[in-house]
């Protein structure tokens, strides 16, 4: 029997066309419906067995009694889990795609390299019309801490280590964080956003870093206490922050981060889901569902990632 799959969430505005073409090519034996199309199709909600979602508006997955898998196109599922109407017993899968991890590793590499060699400082000097060199350091002298050692954290580590950077990793498994912070000058955050990691990067966290350290946040804005970050930058304790993610996105005009000389910001693009490869990841999980095989990349609702 043909699998009937709901498409829910963000791409709806721009149209699911691009995704649909990729998904149909990866799984020709399925049929794909947005809510509007489902309504018009004459199918019943119980015909839907799975949903492929990208930050769907709260309530999008209600009223589907036969739903057996929610597959996210996003790596982070914090917004999805925040939906109180999410059916509690339906398995939920995150996007884990080596191409997405590779993109994340490129962004981390760019940030670490620019911080290590002081290229952001040279950018500032250009704007000021200043011709002025600073000391050049070796990668071997730079200690990087990667927070979160999932697929992306591992990819970042594997990208940085061959260049000579001294990379440490930390995950929330009871390993004390403070000694690692004291020995790190660049922190790359790739943690999932959970009740346990929300606000982790706060005044205490920054104070545990050596003076002149920098932060690279590629995970979620809510990991950071913004006022504490700004205070640490302004006090000169932190040198620079590279921020891809914010409490509110798009970052509202007028927020201090937009024009702060010690902040480099990106519009949440550190690693976009690549439809070309992610469609195959989705198809593999949907086939596993159909065939009664184990599902991949399942979220633990207790852990919240
Ligand atoms: C992007 O932030 C994602 O979670 O995929």
């Amino acid at each position: 029997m043909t699998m009937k799959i709901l498409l829910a969430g963000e791409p709806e505005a721009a149209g699911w066309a691009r995704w649909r073409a990729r998904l149909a090519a990866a799984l020709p034996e399925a049929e794909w419906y947005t809510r509007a199309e489902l309504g018009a199709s004459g199918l019943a909600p119980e015909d839907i067995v799975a949903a492929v979602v990208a930050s769907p508006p709260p309530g999008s997955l209600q009223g589907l009694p036969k739903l057996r898998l929610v597959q996210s196109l996003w790596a982070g599922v914090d917004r999805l889990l925040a939906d109180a109407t999410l059916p509690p017993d339906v398995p939920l899968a995150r996007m884990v795609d080596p191409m997405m991890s590779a993109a994340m590793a490129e962004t981390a590499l760019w940030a670490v390299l620019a911080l290590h060699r002081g290229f952001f400082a040279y950018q500032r000097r250009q704007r000021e019309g200043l011709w002025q060199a600073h000391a050049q350091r070796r990668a071997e002298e730079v200690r990087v801490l990667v927070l979160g050692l999932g697929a992306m954290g591992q990819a970042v580590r594997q990208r940085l280590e061959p260049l000579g950077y001294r990379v440490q990793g930390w995950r929330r498994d009871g390993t004390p964080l403070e000694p690692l912070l004291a020995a790190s000058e660049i922190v790359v955050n790739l943690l999932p956003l959970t009740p346990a990691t929300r606000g982790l990067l706060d005044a205490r966290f920054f104070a545990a870093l050596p003076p002149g350290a920098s932060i690279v946040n590629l995970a979620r804005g809510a990991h950071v206490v913004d006022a504490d970050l700004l205070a640490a930058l302004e006090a000169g304790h932190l040198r620079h922050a590279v921020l891809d993610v914010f409490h509110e996105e798009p970052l509202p005009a007028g927020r201090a981060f937009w024009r702060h000389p010690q902040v480099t910001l990106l519009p949440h693009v550190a690693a976009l889901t690549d439809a070309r490869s992610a469609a195959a990841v989705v198809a593999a999980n949907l086939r596993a569902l159909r065939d009664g095989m184990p599902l991949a990349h399942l979220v633990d609702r207790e852990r919240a990632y």
Side-chain angles (χ1 to χ4, degrees):
M1 204 182 68
T2 324
M3 294 180 93
K4 297 181 177 58
I5 297 158
L6 182 76
L7 302 171
E10 247 163 27
E12 223 150 357
W16 276 89
R18 187 174 61 102
W19 271 102
R20 198 187 291 251
R22 299 276 178 200
L23 290 168
L27 194 68
E29 63 269 35
E31 288 172 12
W32 316 86
Y33 299 90
T34 61
R35 271 284 182 178
E37 290 163 350
L38 187 65
S41 71
L43 288 174
E46 46 267 36
D47 290 323
I48 294 292
V49 294
V52 173
V53 306
S55 287
S60 303
L61 299 171
Q62 276 179 299
L64 301 168
K66 297 279 168 61
L67 193 65
R68 286 186 291 132
L69 172 64
V70 176
Q71 170 69 56
S72 174
L73 296 181
W74 285 47
V77 289
D78 44 292
R79 273 171 66 187
L80 197 53
L81 289 173
D83 178 356
T85 71
L86 192 69
D89 303 323
V90 179
L92 183 61
R94 295 178 293 132
M95 175 51 61
V96 179
D97 174 5
M99 290 300 122
M100 198 177 181
S101 302
M104 188 59 93
E106 288 169 358
T107 304
L109 173 61
W110 158 76
V112 167
L113 196 53
L115 290 165
H116 150 214
R117 295 288 307 277
F119 294 139
F120 296 126
Y122 285 127
Q123 228 164 28
R124 276 202 302 278
R125 284 176 209 164
Q126 178 183 349
R127 282 197 290 272
E128 291 159 8
L130 268 182
W131 182 282
Q132 187 189 85
H134 52 235
Q136 179 178 296
R137 300 168 65 215
R138 298 179 181 167
E140 288 75 7
E141 296 171 285
V142 178
R143 290 167 305 169
V144 181
L145 177 63
V146 178
L147 302 179
L149 289 174
M152 289 186 178
Q154 301 280 5
V156 167
R157 190 173 194 163
Q158 284 161 14
R159 199 83 160 94
L160 293 176
E161 271 172 350
L163 295 170
Y165 293 109
R166 289 161 60 194
V167 187
Q168 299 254 43
W170 180 80
R171 57 158 55 103
R172 277 197 74 262
D173 60 0
T175 313
L177 179 57
E178 292 208 357
L180 287 172
L181 291 176
S184 305
E185 71 170 81
I186 301 175
V187 177
V188 180
N189 179 31
L190 285 164
L191 287 165
L193 181 65
T194 71
T197 64
R198 183 176 291 271
L200 181 75
L201 281 69
D202 63 0
R204 192 175 145 180
F205 179 104
F206 300 134
L209 288 165
S214 296
I215 300 294
V216 181
N217 188 15
L218 309 180
R220 285 292 182 262
H223 283 127
V224 175
V225 178
D226 288 354
D228 292 359
L229 175 57
L230 285 165
L233 287 167
E234 260 139 51
H237 180 64
L238 290 185
R239 190 155 61 99
H240 204 86
V242 177
L243 305 175
D244 181 54
V245 285
F246 302 89
H247 282 261
E248 202 182 325
E249 295 179 6
L251 181 66
R255 289 292 159 85
F257 290 142
W258 275 114
R259 298 196 175 277
H260 200 291
Q262 290 156 274
V263 172
T264 299
L265 69 83
L266 296 171
H268 200 143
V269 291
L272 301 178
T273 306
D274 185 332
R276 292 166 295 179
S277 46
V281 175
V282 173
N285 236 6
L286 291 171
R287 280 205 183 94
L289 177 72
R290 182 197 59 197
D291 300 342
M293 302 297 284
L295 299 170
H297 316 309
L298 289 182
V299 172
D300 177 334
R301 300 271 188 116
E302 283 291 306
R303 281 192 326 190
Y305 71 93

